[in-house]
Amino acid sequence: MDTKTGIRIALQVLGTYGFDGVVVNASSVQKAFESIMNSHSAVLPNHDNVLRELKRQKLIVINSKPNKDHKIQLSLAGMYRLQTVLLENIKIERPKKWDGIWRFVFFDIPLDATNKRVNFSKRLDKLGFKAIKKGVWVFPFTC
């Protein structure tokens, strides 16, 4: 498992604590981080590398107190990254029998937001939607 995957896992674990983050009493920030990951049975490639990268990318905020309480929480950038990770993990269940109803997605994203439009279209394609034309996609299952 690489550091990028470790970051995704760590973001999901830290995201379970919400906006307030989590306070852990440990001898160091590294030990506090390991404790949080281990409490969720999160298997990371290397806790130190993942923690260092989370800090470097400013995805987390750490507040340490002299009594060895370390508060670790997602930064605003970390929350946005977590949203991206969660969106990437969306899967639509496909029942064995089709109910005969087509589901449509219609969207009109302005030309000045080309990247957003392309990314949204890629996401729909990845989920199994089929494009009928630009901005109109169809899917046969409940979603």
Side-chain angles (χ1 to χ4, degrees):
M1 180 186 318
D2 60 353
T3 304
K4 186 175 182 180
T5 303
I7 289 171
R8 292 167 160 230
I9 292 168
L11 287 172
Q12 290 178 54
V13 169
L14 293 170
T16 63
Y17 293 101
F19 295 117
D20 290 335
V22 60
V23 176
V24 177
N25 188 282
S27 58
S28 67
V29 174
Q30 289 80 5
K31 295 287 184 195
F33 182 72
E34 282 181 39
S35 175
I36 295 166
M37 295 302 120
N38 291 338
S39 70
H40 285 268
S41 302
V43 179
L44 297 180
N46 182 327
H47 289 93
D48 290 340
N49 287 347
V50 172
L51 180 60
R52 188 178 315 109
E53 197 59 25
L54 286 167
K55 286 195 253 182
R56 188 187 72 75
Q57 293 182 27
K58 298 181 179 165
L59 299 175
I60 59 173
V61 176
I62 299 172
N63 293 313
S64 297
K65 294 188 178 176
N67 66 354
K68 297 185 181 178
D69 280 350
H70 304 282
K71 182 176 183 180
I72 302 175
Q73 65 187 118
L74 293 177
S75 65
L76 189 57
M79 290 179 209
Y80 283 124
R81 180 78 64 84
L82 175 59
Q83 285 180 334
T84 302
V85 169
L86 294 175
L87 283 173
E88 289 172 357
N89 291 338
I90 290 177
K91 293 190 178 25
I92 299 174
E93 287 187 34
R94 297 174 183 229
K96 292 179 181 176
K97 187 175 179 185
W98 181 43
D99 62 5
I101 300 172
W102 289 97
R103 281 73 178 183
F104 288 87
V105 172
F106 298 90
F107 65 89
D108 184 21
I109 299 174
L111 289 174
D112 62 342
T114 301
N115 287 341
K116 291 178 183 176
R117 187 176 63 252
V118 169
N119 288 336
F120 186 64
S121 295
K122 283 181 183 178
R123 178 73 52 224
L124 289 174
D125 185 53
K126 202 174 197 181
L127 288 170
F129 285 77
K130 299 300 174 197
I132 295 175
K133 64 180 212 164
K134 286 186 179 179
V136 181
W137 293 70
V138 65
F139 192 70
F141 305 111
T142 302
C143 44

